[in-house]
């Protein structure tokens, strides 16, 4: 269990954040750029010294402002994936990984580094310098480097931001599989709510140095506490089992019942991300004659008004959210307990393996 | 009237040609006036050989001092924010704009027998004035800023995330400096080394005033050229040609070394 409470002054505002992360689980800090997310990671790793607070892993105190404890970064066991990966340009891929294995004898370092690269599918690139690697390959080498030391905490700073959209989707799926294997506390920082929803077990939305709301992606999506969270926290996440359906689309049998369709090609246990603003509501019982492939019925669980619109939380029975105008709520007679039909496109359904 | 991008392009090409001609013509002239045979013959002159050997020893000693103290100092200036950093940087660069004669006087005022530290040095049994050690002091004084500037810029250009990554991978600050900062700054550092070496090899004024011109003790090649010049112009010319050739060879090899993967001078 990683416990961190961090207070520090940033350029324009104060940062005050408390986090508790269980071993094997991943907490995402989500917020706009400049909200102080990366500073939290840097403080945990010992690269930034907070003015106040305490950081401890299980019983081991890494930082305590009151007592004056402040372990150097090399004394904390953090695997840190930097935003642009920060691979050493003068070292080959395997030497980058071996850099963190200095405590081992020479031949064992080489073998361990090679094994780490193999595990991430980049073993054949061991002799290459980072400049000769693509964005996705760099990310894998960096991840291999961060995990080769068997760190006790994993810190991921915008792991997908440096990649083009296509590579990011693929890397996101791989990262999700990696996180499922890792059994240490993981803190993920991202500005993309969908990435957080798909990779993390719980999400903390951070704005101008403070956490404004915490919860699962579904909670935040269905019941945003503020309009900031509503704008930022989009995707609801539905879990189920995917298989290839007709006409090449992926069909997901949702846990608890119902099926949805996606254009992403994944099979097995998956998580599906759907943005509330992609979802259209209709009275239950209507048969939609539209091109959208997904059409499910559910019960309205909550209605959260945000200015001139409202976030409607549905149980289908998994939680789903739709964002509609206040006028539509009145016209459709939507109220908690009523049955409605939700419609959205297969292309608006992002899948990652679970 | 149609725009003429050609005019500007012509202008910059002409400017380069003028710069190149002006800067290389005198160097070419040395070699035009000195036949290769004269050049080799001048190396047989014991006084010339002594001057060359002295120049090599003193510049290398000065470079060693500059690198040992200058590299960590430049790293500190490049990577730490502190009050007065700009002032420190400016003070360090001051010798760059100091006229060599003023530098010589300044060194005498500081380390000479009558200087601020002269008494203390004498008490410690160190006699600087008119010794080979004085040459090294003069060379270090005038050449160090060239190295410091380049090294500081090279360290400042390193992505700070690389040093952070080294720390999270278990490296102490010292190890991150040696294993990451120095290799990454390699090309910039070796460029600074080349500049400082070039400046030291050509040093004349400060050496003459602070160390004097005694054959075999303080008479480096530039000083030897000057003393030859008063007696024998062709001899001075030949020695100049040797200095130019040696300097060019040194600078070239340092630059090549900076590009080699040994120093980590990879294309980033």
């Amino acid at each position: 269990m990683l416990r961190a409470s961090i207070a520090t002054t940033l350029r324009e505002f104060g940062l005050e954040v408390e986090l508790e992360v269980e071993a094997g689980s991943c907490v995402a800090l989500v917020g706009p750029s400049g909200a102080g997310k990366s500073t939290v990671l840097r403080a945990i790793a010992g690269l930034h010294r907070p003015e106040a607070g305490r950081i401890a892993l299980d019983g081991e105190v890494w930082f305590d402002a009151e007592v004056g404890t402040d372990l150097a970064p090399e004394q904390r066991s953090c695997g840190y994936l930097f935003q642009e990966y920060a691979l050493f340009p003068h070292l080959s891929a395997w030497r980058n990984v071996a850099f963190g294995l200095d405590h081992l004898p020479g031949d064992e370092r080489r073998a361990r580094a090679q094994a780490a690269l193999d595990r991430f599918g980049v073993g054949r690139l061991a002799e290459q310098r980072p400049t000769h690697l693509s964005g996705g390959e760099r990310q894998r080498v960096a991840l291999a480097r961060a995990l080769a030391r068997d760190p006790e905490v994993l810190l991921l700073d915008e792991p997908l931001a440096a990649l083009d959209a296509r590579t990011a989707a693929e890397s996101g799926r791989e990262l999700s599989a990696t996180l499922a294997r890792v059994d240490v506390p993981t803190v993920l920082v991202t500005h993309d709510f969908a990435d957080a929803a798909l990779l993390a077990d719980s999400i903390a939305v951070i704005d101008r140095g403070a956490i404004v709301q915490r919860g699962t992606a579904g909670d935040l999506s269905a019941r945003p506490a503020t309009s900031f969270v509503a704008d930022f926290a989009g995707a609801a996440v539905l879990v189920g089992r995917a298989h290839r359906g007709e006409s090449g689309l992926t069909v997901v049998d949702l846990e608890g019942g119902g099926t949805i369709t996606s254009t992403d090609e994944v099979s097995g246990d998956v998580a599906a991300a759907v943005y509330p603003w992609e979802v259209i509501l209709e009275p239950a019982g209507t048969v939609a004659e539209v091109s959208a492939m997904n059409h499910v019925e559910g019960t309205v669980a909550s209605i959260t008004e945000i200015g001139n619109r409202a976030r409607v939380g549905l149980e289908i029975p998994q939680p789903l959210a739709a964002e509609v105008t206040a006028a539509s709520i009145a016209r459709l007679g939507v109220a908690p307990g009523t049955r409605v039909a939700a419609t959205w496109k297969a292309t608006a359904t992002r899948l990652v393996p679970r | 009237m149609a725009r003429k991008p050609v005019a500007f392009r012509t202008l910059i090409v002409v400017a380069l040609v003028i710069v190149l001609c002006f800067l290389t013509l005198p160097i070419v002239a040395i070699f035009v006036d000195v036949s290769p045979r004269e050049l080799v013959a001048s190396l047989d002159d014991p006084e010339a050989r002594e001057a060359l050997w002295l120049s090599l020893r003193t510049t290398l000693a000065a470079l060693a001092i500059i690198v040992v103290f200058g590299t960590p100092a430049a790293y500190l200036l490049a990577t730490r924010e502190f009050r007065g950093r700009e002032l420190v940087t400016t003070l360090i660069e001051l010798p760059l704009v100091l006229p060599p004669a003023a530098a010589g006087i300044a060194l005498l005022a500081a380390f000479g027998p009558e200087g601020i530290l002269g008494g203390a040095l004498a008490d410690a049994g160190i006699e600087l004035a008119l010794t080979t050690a004085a040459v090294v002091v003069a060379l270090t004084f005038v050449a160090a800023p060239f190295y410091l500037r380049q090294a500081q810029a090279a360290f400042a250009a390193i992505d700070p995330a690389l040093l952070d990554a080294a720390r999270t991978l278990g490296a102490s600050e010292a190890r991150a400096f040696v294993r990451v900062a120095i290799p990454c700054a390699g090309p910039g550092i070796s460029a600074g080394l080349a500049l400082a070496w070039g400046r030291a090899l050509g040093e004349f004024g400060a050496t003459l005033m602070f160390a004097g011109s005694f054959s075999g003790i303080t008479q480096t090649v530039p000083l030897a050229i000057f003393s030859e010049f008063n007696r024998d112009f062709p001899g001075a010319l030949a020695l100049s040609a040797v200095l130019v050739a040696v300097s060019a060879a040194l600078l070239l090899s340092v630059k090549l070394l900076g590009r080699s993967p040994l120093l980590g001078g990879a294309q980033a």
Side-chain angles (χ1 to χ4, degrees), chain A residues 58-103:
Chain A
D58 302 320
E60 197 187 4
V61 179
W62 286 358
F63 175 79
D64 192 331
E66 278 178 25
V67 188
T69 306
D70 184 15
L71 295 191
E74 63 268 26
Q75 292 168 308
R76 309 183 186 196
S77 180
C78 288
Y80 201 132
L81 188 70
F82 289 83
Q83 193 167 353
E84 307 280 341
Y85 310 132
L87 293 174
F88 304 126
H90 60 293
L91 299 178
S92 63
W94 83 262
R95 284 187 189 278
N96 258 280
V97 177
F99 189 97
L101 303 172
D102 225 36
H103 49 288

Side-chain angles (χ1 to χ4, degrees), chain A residues 42 45 47 72-74 78 80 82 86-91 99-100 102 129 131 145 149, chain B residues 161-162 164-173 175 179-180 183-184 261 264 266-268:
Chain A
R42 294 176 57 78
L47 298 169
E74 63 268 26
C78 288
Y80 201 132
F82 289 83
L87 293 174
F88 304 126
H90 60 293
L91 299 178
F99 189 97
D102 225 36
R129 294 268 186 101
T131 36
R145 183 177 73 171
R149 286 164 55 80
Chain B
L162 293 178
D164 288 342
R167 299 298 301 279
T168 64
L169 291 167
S172 63
E173 243 187 312
R175 189 161 165 260
R179 293 272 315 270
V180 177
C184 289
Q267 314 77 28

Side-chain angles (χ1 to χ4, degrees), chain B residues 130-250:
Chain B
L130 314 182
T131 63
T132 305
V135 178
V136 175
V137 170
L139 298 186
T140 307
F141 182 74
V142 296
F146 287 84
Y147 178 76
L148 283 160
R149 261 170 74 106
Q150 287 281 330
Q152 187 181 341
F155 283 130
I158 297 175
D159 178 3
L162 293 178
L163 301 171
D164 288 342
R167 299 298 301 279
T168 64
L169 291 167
S172 63
E173 243 187 312
R175 189 161 165 260
F177 171 64
V178 174
R179 293 272 315 270
V180 177
I182 288 183
C184 289
I189 287 179
S190 54
L193 210 56
L195 278 176
W197 204 342
R199 178 68 184 87
L201 273 175
E203 214 309 298
F204 175 73
T207 315
L208 182 64
M209 300 197 65
F210 184 56
S213 178
F214 300 100
S215 178
I217 302 169
T218 69
Q219 196 179 74
T220 56
V221 177
L223 296 174
I225 290 171
F226 186 67
S227 86
E228 282 282 295
F229 170 69
N230 290 334
R231 292 177 294 167
D232 161 28
F233 186 73
L237 210 55
L239 203 49
S240 300
V242 172
L243 185 59
V244 169
V246 170
S247 305
L250 288 179

Side-chain angles (χ1 to χ4, degrees), chain A residues 173-187:
Chain A
R173 287 194 278 273
E174 286 172 11
L175 193 56
S176 162
T178 303
L179 290 180
R181 287 202 307 267
V182 171
D183 57 357
V184 298
T186 302
V187 183

